[in-house]
């Protein structure tokens, strides 16, 4: 089957090969024919080395498809089921799962050193244990979450990462209050989803911050009340909050510089939500006086900060009711053969989400 492979960390192009097979099928596993996958910024971060990931590997962790084969002992799934590929499955038994914080379950990372694919020339890993830039993946049964028949694969794929992450940051982690002021720094697919979440919660002011004009325009369509370039944020803070700062600021970039800006843009006693996936050697500096005296709450949000399967169900309900726009997030579509085009659209910020049809 075909899959797109990054040969060495730091390279910026993928190569589509057709001599690759998904390995590891057996008890407790599921084989999925991937139908659609979104390109998430974390894929680029894994390629560049910002996020840890052994190479060579198949990127892609935001996918959906059809179950083709179910291993021994798997219950609740049969061939033909439509599923979202969940890169952070919950085991249901560890202390985090038992506390109801299944987003902190590490079960999905237990196989991190095990290759997911094989080529004639050697082993290939899958990003975050999945690797959805492939026609087929073999994953733990917990990574295959069934979806209703009315959810198209391209929409289901978005729910697999970006939308769950952004909406969850606003609904689960921040639990934005009605009438509040919000700023969202970074307006790709995840940031736009955070904006939609803040709107759903009834935020009065939602300021979108992004250097790319098309993304600022998109943010306004998705519920931002104002959209500014990074250099205009200080003015917006002055005008909208009297200089005090916003009740909630979402950092959706994953860099210490934007996190520092986000901290300074948050009002005293307000909430900074850290959504962006950053590097292990990028340190955020806070002084001990401001940390205690300004009483700003810093809330990291991993994969939407809540029960993942419940978050999927909630998103589908909101989408069906027309309360969140997921279709509008897909600005570009490419076949797997043109995957490098999709990477460029993500790098330049022209795409909110590119759907790769597989
Ligand atoms: Zn667990
Ligand atoms: Zn992602």
């Amino acid at each position: 089957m075909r899959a797109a492979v990054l040969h060495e960390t730091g390279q910026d192009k993928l190569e589509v090969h057709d001599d690759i097979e998904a390995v590891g099928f057996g008890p407790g596993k599921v084989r999925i024919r991937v139908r659609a996958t979104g390109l998430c910024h974390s894929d680029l971060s894994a390629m560049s080395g910002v996020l840890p990931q052994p190479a060579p590997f198949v990127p892609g962790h935001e996918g959906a498809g059809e179950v083709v084969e179910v291993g021994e002992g798997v219950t609740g799934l049969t061939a033909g089921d439509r599923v979202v590929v969940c890169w952070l499955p919950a085991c249901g038994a560890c202390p985090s799962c038992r506390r109801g914080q299944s987003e902190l379950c590490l079960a999905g990372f237990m196989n991190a050193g095990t290759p997911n694919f094989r080529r004639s020339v050697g082993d290939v890993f899958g990003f975050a244990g999945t690797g959805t830039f492939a026609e087929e993946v073999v994953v733990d049964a917990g990574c295959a979450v069934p979806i209703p028949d009315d959810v198209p694969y391209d929409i289901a794929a978005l729910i697999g990462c970006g939308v769950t992450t952004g909406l969850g940051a606003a609904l689960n982690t921040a639990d934005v209050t009605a009438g509040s002021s919000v700023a969202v720094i970074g307006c790709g697919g995840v940031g736009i989803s955070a904006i939609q979440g803040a709107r759903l919660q009834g935020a009065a002011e939602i300021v979108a911050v992004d250097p790319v004009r098309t993304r600022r325009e998109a943010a306004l369509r998705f519920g931002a009340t104002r959209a500014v370039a990074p250099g205009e944020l200080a003015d917006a803070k002055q005008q909208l909050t009297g200089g005090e700062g916003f009740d909630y600021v979402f950092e959706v970039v994953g860099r210490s510089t934007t996190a520092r800006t986000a901290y300074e843009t948050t009002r005293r006693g307000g909430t900074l939500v850290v959504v962006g996936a950053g590097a292990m050697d990028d340190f955020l500096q806070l002084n001990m006086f401001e940390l205690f005296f300004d009483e700003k709450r810093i809330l990291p949000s991993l994969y939407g900060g809540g029960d993942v399967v419940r978050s999927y169900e909630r998103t589908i309900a909101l989408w069906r009711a027309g309360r969140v726009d997921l279709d509008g997030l897909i600005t570009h579509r490419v076949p797997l053969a043109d995957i490098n085009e999709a990477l460029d659209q993500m790098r330049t910020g022209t795409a909110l989400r590119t759907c790769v049809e597989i």
Side-chain angles (χ1 to χ4, degrees):
M1 61 110 178
R2 291 182 316 144
V5 178
L6 183 84
H7 290 286
E8 270 177 53
T9 305
Q11 291 176 334
D12 60 358
K13 291 259 185 289
L14 301 177
E15 257 184 71
V16 178
H17 295 284
D18 58 9
D19 65 338
I20 191 158
E21 66 175 311
V23 296
F25 184 75
K29 300 283 184 174
V30 174
R31 186 188 302 277
I32 299 170
R33 171 66 174 91
V34 179
R35 295 291 177 189
T37 181
L39 176 58
C40 185
H41 204 272
S42 303
D43 295 309
L44 296 182
S45 299
M47 289 173 62
S48 67
V50 165
L51 295 178
Q53 170 63 44
F57 73 98
V58 176
H61 60 287
E62 186 183 270
E66 185 188 346
V67 173
V68 288
E69 199 179 357
V70 169
E72 206 180 302
V74 174
T75 53
L77 285 169
T78 48
D81 282 354
R82 301 156 65 86
V83 292
V84 171
V85 178
C86 172
W87 58 268
L88 193 61
C91 73
C94 72
S96 293
C97 285
R98 289 204 308 272
R99 280 186 204 108
Q101 290 180 298
S102 63
E103 78 277 15
L104 300 181
C105 179
L106 292 174
F109 294 93
M110 291 308 170
N111 304 327
T114 313
N116 304 71
F117 302 96
R118 187 165 46 221
R119 292 184 63 209
S120 50
V121 292
D123 290 334
V124 179
F125 296 91
F127 178 39
T130 53
T132 54
F133 292 175
E135 287 175 334
E136 267 188 20
V137 291
V138 169
V139 292
D140 285 336
C143 297
V145 180
I147 46 161
D149 286 347
D150 65 331
V151 184
Y153 287 123
D154 54 0
I155 296 296
L158 299 184
I159 293 172
C161 187
V163 168
T164 296
T165 300
L167 268 185
L171 273 57
N172 299 330
T173 307
D175 194 9
V176 170
T177 52
S180 57
S181 60
V182 172
V184 176
I185 302 179
C187 298
V190 177
I192 295 280
S193 299
I195 288 170
Q196 296 206 75
R199 190 201 55 197
L200 278 171
Q201 296 278 112
E205 297 284 355
I206 305 172
V207 178
V209 187
D210 199 286
V212 180
R213 182 180 53 81
T214 51
R215 287 189 171 189
R216 294 197 297 272
E217 288 166 1
L220 293 169
R221 290 198 301 276
F222 284 91
T225 54
R226 188 162 168 175
V228 298
E232 301 163 336
L233 176 59
D235 277 350
K237 171 184 160 189
Q238 187 61 39
Q239 287 163 17
L240 293 170
T241 72
E244 193 191 5
F246 295 86
D247 297 319
Y248 301 91
V249 180
F250 293 80
E251 198 279 348
V252 200
V253 178
R255 287 203 202 104
S256 58
T257 46
T258 41
R260 181 68 216 184
T261 301
Y263 184 81
E264 286 165 10
T265 308
T266 307
R267 71 163 166 81
R268 294 184 67 216
T271 302
L272 163 61
V273 185
V274 181
V275 187
M280 287 187 188
D281 59 356
D282 185 13
F283 293 88
L284 170 64
Q285 273 206 333
L286 298 167
N287 70 59
M288 290 307 289
F289 178 78
E290 64 186 353
L291 190 58
F292 112 92
F293 188 72
D294 290 336
E295 217 183 68
K296 297 180 187 183
R297 297 186 303 156
I298 301 174
L299 301 182
S301 182
L302 175 63
Y303 205 3
D307 181 289
V308 171
V309 174
R310 259 197 61 218
S311 292
Y312 288 180
E313 289 167 357
R314 179 177 62 193
T315 303
I316 291 168
L318 289 165
W319 168 77
R320 266 200 202 118
R323 306 263 290 154
V324 293
D325 177 4
L326 305 187
D327 308 71
L329 278 174
I330 302 171
T331 51
H332 297 68
R333 289 176 191 276
V334 299
L336 184 62
D338 296 338
I339 186 75
N340 288 307
E341 236 173 75
L343 297 178
D344 288 341
Q345 288 159 1
M346 179 62 95
R347 288 193 186 101
T348 55
T350 52
L352 293 178
R353 266 296 184 270
T354 298
C355 175
V356 183
E357 288 163 335
I358 297 184

